[in-house]
Amino acid sequence: MSGFWAYLVRRIIASIITLLGVALVLVILIQFLPGDPARVIAGMQASQAEVDQIRHSMGLDQPVIVQYLTFLGHLVQGNMGFSARMGTPVLAEIGNRLPFTLELAILGTLVGVIAGILLGVMSATHKNKLADTIGSMIGVMGISMPVYWLGILLIVLFSVNLKLLPTGGAQTLSSLILPVVTLGVFSMAIVSRMTRSTMLDTLGQDFVRTVRAKGVVEWLVVYKHALRNSFVPILTVIGLQFGTLLGGAVLTETVFSWPGIGQLLVTSIQARDFPMVQGIVFVFAAMFIVVNIITDLLYGVVDPRVRIYD
């Protein structure tokens, strides 16, 4: 087996072990959370006998290890149970909401990466000048500003006062603008700081001076030679940010009433819909692991000198 495939198999095995651990933590944590899913399903007017019957049918009266093995067995069959609140299959409900979350995360990451790299390059190529100061200020503001607060400010400005964009929902294409900008600003700030730092190191290296001595125009020196050699750590940050947005757009989706799985998670927690919470958190963990594996594999594509699977 070649080094690449051996590395991929090792990562897949490690990912499966990680997901088994995530599933165990989810089953254990459910035992300590307030609220009773059986009571939620039965309703507040149900008798204790009816609640006990539902608890037994869901396996909630079984030992933790039995619940864990049952959960894994259902996962293998593609079954995450039924929502206690809606009565629909958890996996189907997540599947309906996931495209909205993916759309928001991809566009938010794209905006953040493009703006962050341009801002970081500008700061690095104008070190200790006015452009660097402005770029640093924007970066620090983007990192320091809470996502939900920025979202509310954008709603007040563009929706309430200027009446240019909808306050929330996903009915029109314009509904995407405010949540994408909100997520993009946070990603932009982190990417710009990493880009500035790595570009400053690269621009001071001998090969950059050699390229400049050959008379290559400055924009090619910066974007073709320096940025390419600085991109591996930037790619790491982009991968982490994308994984975070897939599972961390909870506040943004809630502020803008975006029908993704982040908003579904909040409403499920409020309704004590534990099967749905378990399913969403497990899907979040799986997506984050997949994004990290893809990011690691991209290292070799961006910089052929990186051989992570040797």
Side-chain angles (χ1 to χ4, degrees):
M1 185 180 293
S2 67
F4 170 79
W5 290 109
Y7 171 79
L8 190 59
V9 169
R10 287 199 305 273
R11 289 300 304 269
I12 292 175
I13 293 174
S15 301
I16 292 173
I17 295 173
T18 303
L19 288 176
L20 291 175
V22 170
L24 179 61
V25 171
L26 284 173
V27 172
I28 293 175
L29 284 180
I30 290 297
Q31 312 299 317
F32 299 99
L33 293 179
D36 184 354
R39 171 60 69 181
V40 172
I41 295 174
M44 299 307 295
Q45 304 301 322
S47 65
Q48 186 59 43
E50 292 171 326
V51 174
D52 291 341
Q53 184 179 2
I54 291 176
R55 183 177 294 109
H56 178 71
S57 66
M58 295 179 65
L60 296 175
D61 55 349
Q62 298 294 320
V64 172
I65 186 62
V66 175
Q67 292 186 40
Y68 175 59
L69 294 176
T70 304
F71 183 68
L72 292 182
H74 289 163
L75 275 179
V76 172
Q77 301 171 26
N79 177 16
M80 289 186 171
F82 289 84
S83 166
R85 182 168 57 98
M86 296 177 283
T88 54
V90 169
L91 197 57
E93 195 63 33
I94 292 175
N96 292 334
R97 302 291 192 101
L98 188 58
F100 291 97
T101 296
L102 285 175
E103 183 181 25
L104 201 59
I106 291 172
L107 292 177
T109 303
L110 196 62
V111 169
V113 168
I114 294 174
I117 289 178
L118 291 176
L119 194 64
V121 169
M122 182 189 74
S123 296
T125 53
H126 297 79
K127 182 183 177 184
N128 297 330
K129 296 180 181 177
L130 179 62
D132 184 21
T133 304
I134 294 174
S136 298
M137 288 175 59
I138 294 174
V140 172
M141 285 176 60
I143 294 175
S144 308
M145 196 180 303
V147 172
Y148 68 89
W149 186 67
L150 174 61
I152 292 172
L153 285 183
L154 292 176
I155 289 175
V156 171
L157 177 60
F158 291 101
S159 302
V160 178
N161 292 333
L162 300 179
K163 301 185 186 306
L164 295 176
L165 296 169
T167 56
Q171 290 78 19
T172 62
L173 197 59
S174 59
S175 304
L176 264 171
I177 296 176
L178 292 184
V180 165
V181 170
T182 302
L183 291 178
V185 167
F186 184 72
S187 298
M188 174 207 68
I190 296 178
V191 172
S192 70
R193 302 312 296 161
M194 177 57 72
T195 303
R196 180 185 183 277
S197 173
T198 55
M199 282 291 288
L200 284 176
D201 290 339
T202 306
L203 288 171
Q205 294 183 11
D206 291 340
F207 81 92
V208 175
R209 284 191 285 272
T210 302
V211 172
R212 282 178 173 147
K214 290 181 178 179
V216 178
V217 293
E218 185 62 21
W219 71 270
L220 277 179
V221 173
V222 172
Y223 287 99
K224 182 179 179 182
H225 297 281
L227 182 58
R228 183 177 180 182
N229 282 277
S230 307
F231 205 73
V232 169
I234 299 172
L235 180 62
T236 303
V237 171
I238 293 172
L240 290 174
Q241 275 301 299
F242 182 59
T244 303
L245 291 187
L246 284 175
V250 174
L251 292 177
T252 305
E253 290 186 3
T254 302
V255 169
F256 291 100
S257 300
W258 188 258
I261 54 177
Q263 188 197 44
L264 180 62
L265 177 62
V266 173
T267 54
S268 299
I269 292 174
Q270 292 171 340
R272 303 292 190 272
D273 188 351
F274 294 146
M276 185 64 77
V277 174
Q278 278 184 322
I280 293 174
V281 174
F282 188 84
V283 169
F284 278 162
M287 290 193 299
F288 196 86
I289 289 172
V290 170
V291 169
N292 273 278
I293 292 176
I294 294 174
T295 303
D296 288 347
L297 296 178
L298 285 176
Y299 288 156
V301 177
V302 173
D303 189 346
R305 295 171 301 177
V306 178
R307 310 289 293 180
I308 58 175
Y309 43 83
D310 283 343

